[in-house]
Amino acid sequence: MLIIEKLTSKENMSDTEIAIADFIIFIGKNINKSSTRSIAEATYTSPTTIIRFCKKMGFSGFDEFKNEYIKELDYLNKQYGKIDANFPFEKTDSELKVANKISSLYIDTVNDTMTLLNYSSIKQAINLIKLSDSIHIFSYGTTLNTAEVFKRRC
């Protein structure tokens, strides 16, 4: 789940945490200029509360949270104008328009995935596969064909 989704959903958050989440959403990328003390002052909490909030969100502390939040906002800003994967088409769209939107969504997904790949991790995985004595593949449904192709190529 994206950080922004966690902040907006406010699941399992106390009133204090909701105030912190709302403030972080409000300042957006300006969090880069913020410190735990400045956020604590703005939300009438303490710096320790801000750090606990960041840890509850799954980060080691405020600095890691801040860096990852900024990266996420940058990433989301690059997605502007693309098709919303949650609601890719409307009731009034023609069949051709729906098909075009879905194909654009697939192309965007592949391109987006390519930008997120970590090539050193892929190389490491390939080396682990090459050095393995045995490989166990589990699949179900339509991915069964992909597993068979992998089996034949290894």
Side-chain angles (χ1 to χ4, degrees):
M1 179 180 274
L2 295 172
I3 299 169
I4 193 75
E5 289 175 345
K6 288 180 183 178
L7 294 173
T8 54
S9 75
K10 298 172 179 64
E11 270 182 43
N12 302 320
M13 286 189 191
S14 67
D15 292 340
T16 302
E17 292 167 338
I18 290 171
I20 295 167
D22 288 342
F23 183 73
I24 290 171
I25 292 168
F26 174 73
I27 62 173
K29 282 188 74 168
N30 288 330
I31 195 171
N32 195 34
K33 302 172 188 168
S34 301
S35 64
T36 55
R37 184 177 308 266
S38 64
I39 293 174
E41 288 174 5
T43 57
Y44 302 102
T45 60
S46 69
T48 308
T49 304
I50 305 302
I51 294 168
R52 278 196 307 267
F53 175 80
C54 294
K55 287 184 177 183
K56 184 175 181 179
M57 296 288 289
F59 299 94
S60 61
F62 179 69
D63 288 334
E64 182 187 10
F65 172 82
K66 179 168 62 170
N67 292 334
E68 292 301 316
Y69 184 61
I70 290 168
K71 282 183 196 175
E72 182 177 296
L73 291 177
D74 287 340
Y75 169 76
L76 291 173
N77 286 335
K78 290 178 185 172
Q79 304 305 309
Y80 179 75
K82 299 203 178 186
I83 297 171
D84 181 0
N86 295 319
F87 303 101
F89 48 86
E90 317 242 342
K91 285 182 181 180
T92 57
D93 288 347
S94 69
E95 291 85 0
L96 185 58
K97 194 168 189 177
V98 169
N100 283 327
K101 285 184 175 181
I102 290 175
S103 67
S104 293
L105 187 60
Y106 274 102
I107 291 167
D108 290 346
T109 301
V110 169
N111 290 335
D112 193 29
T113 302
M114 292 303 293
T115 64
L116 297 173
L117 287 178
N118 181 335
Y119 293 101
S120 63
S121 295
I122 293 172
K123 195 169 189 169
Q124 183 181 9
I126 290 169
N127 287 334
L128 287 172
I129 290 170
K130 285 180 179 179
L131 297 173
S132 297
D133 292 330
S134 64
I135 301 169
H136 300 274
I137 302 171
F138 300 91
S139 72
Y140 179 77
T142 58
T143 59
L144 186 59
N145 294 336
T146 307
E148 287 292 332
V149 170
F150 180 80
K151 177 183 168 187
R152 281 193 298 268
R153 291 186 179 174
C154 284

